[in-house]
Amino acid sequence: MPMSNSAVQKLGKRLELPEAVSEEDLTLLEDLLIDYSELLTAARGVVDELCDIVEWPLGVTHRLKTTDTLIQKLQRAKARGSSTNLARIQDIAGIRVSGRLTLTEQDQLGDMVVERFESQGHKCSVKDRREDPMVGYRAVHVIVAVGGRYVEIQIRTVGQDLWANVFERIADIFGRGIRYGEPPEYGGQAVTDVISAMEGFSTSLYEMETEAAASIVSGQEREATMARLDPVLVALRESLQTIEGVRGRSAT
């Protein structure tokens, strides 16, 4: 029988404490993730069906947070003085859809996702991170509530996805907290300057995507217009390769 939300919340309160996690609580967390895994599989099937319908080439991936990642998230929040309710965390189960989309098409796909899940009786909410980015991160998130649990569906343009991958690798090297506006764990001002540059890059990319979407709506040819973004995408791919090399050297 699935854990009640109150039981999940109490489990989270115990896990957020800096003391060693008990074997019993670790087992409960693993059981909870099994519930989320089944939910994620069902939601992925719905998303795959929708992506087969549209004409845009899209990539779909999914992931489930690990026990270690969840415990670290809870303890990091506690250390910041903002305790997190485990039962209300919305990104334990996540699906990511990305592709060569315009911003308009990104909206359309988000609407399709909401319509399909709501037609099945599930409540959805949308977080538009494009106008209100978090440390430069932009995307459209659809949060689907299923039986007291959540699945987060991220919809990204290819530019937003590449940018996020670059920033994720920077966070892997200099501290995961930078994704939430926290200072880097080391590297000082040099890393802070890199983060600021990435935020500026995100703003410039969004402005270009906005212009491209408006041009296509006004009648300009889609592929020729989208091709204007290619130099930026190439730069992001090169940055990702460079950072992967830095990350590889630091691990040896």
Side-chain angles (χ1 to χ4, degrees):
M1 181 177 178
M3 295 173 62
S4 67
N5 281 349
S6 61
V8 173
Q9 182 177 6
K10 291 175 182 176
L11 173 62
K13 291 297 182 185
R14 297 193 298 272
L15 293 174
E16 72 182 10
L17 299 176
E19 293 82 7
V21 176
S22 71
E23 288 295 328
E24 180 181 0
D25 281 345
L26 185 58
T27 298
L28 287 173
L29 184 58
E30 290 170 346
D31 289 343
L32 177 65
L33 290 180
I34 290 174
D35 292 342
Y36 272 99
S37 179
E38 294 173 353
L39 176 63
L40 181 58
T41 299
R44 170 68 192 261
V46 175
V47 173
D48 283 340
E49 289 178 6
L50 287 174
C51 290
D52 288 340
I53 293 172
V54 300
E55 61 186 18
W56 314 306
L58 299 169
V60 184
T61 59
H62 67 272
R63 63 100 186 99
L64 190 69
K65 284 191 181 298
T66 65
T67 53
D68 287 345
T69 301
L70 268 176
I71 292 170
Q72 290 169 11
K73 182 183 182 78
L74 291 166
Q75 293 186 352
R76 187 166 55 242
K78 180 69 172 180
R80 292 198 304 264
S82 56
S83 182
T84 298
N85 184 345
L86 178 58
R88 301 293 297 175
I89 294 178
Q90 297 179 338
D91 63 347
I92 293 177
I95 298 172
R96 181 177 302 159
V97 183
S98 62
R100 200 171 176 83
L101 298 167
T102 68
L103 297 180
T104 303
E105 293 162 351
Q106 188 178 22
D107 285 330
Q108 292 170 350
L109 184 56
D111 291 342
M112 291 173 64
V113 170
V114 170
E115 182 179 355
R116 178 60 62 89
F117 279 101
E118 288 189 342
S119 72
Q120 297 177 352
H122 306 306
K123 185 177 180 180
C124 297
S125 60
V126 177
K127 290 183 179 179
D128 191 336
R129 286 288 185 190
R130 295 172 302 183
E131 289 288 347
D132 183 26
M134 176 176 285
V135 199
Y137 172 79
R138 286 180 162 86
V140 173
H141 290 188
V142 178
I143 312 300
V144 184
V146 183
R149 306 281 189 259
Y150 300 93
V151 177
E152 180 185 74
I153 302 170
Q154 301 175 351
I155 303 172
R156 301 176 181 175
T157 67
V158 65
Q160 292 164 0
D161 192 52
L162 280 169
W163 185 96
N165 289 336
V166 172
F167 201 80
E168 185 79 8
R169 296 303 181 268
I170 295 172
D172 286 341
I173 298 172
F174 297 106
R176 307 289 292 171
I178 67 172
R179 298 176 304 158
Y180 308 104
E182 298 176 9
E185 294 177 4
Y186 59 91
Q189 187 60 45
V191 179
T192 300
D193 291 344
V194 169
I195 295 169
S196 178
M198 284 294 294
E199 291 187 76
F201 201 128
S202 172
T203 299
S204 298
L205 174 61
Y206 183 59
E207 290 172 351
M208 292 179 67
E209 289 182 321
T210 301
E211 291 174 2
S215 297
I216 293 169
V217 169
S218 67
Q220 293 192 29
E221 202 273 327
R222 182 186 187 280
E223 289 307 314
T225 303
M226 293 292 284
R228 299 175 194 167
L229 297 171
D230 286 346
V232 179
L233 303 182
V234 169
L236 281 169
R237 290 189 180 98
E238 291 175 347
S239 297
L240 183 58
Q241 291 175 349
T242 299
I243 293 168
E244 290 286 11
V246 171
R247 186 185 180 196
R249 290 193 297 273
S250 65
T252 59

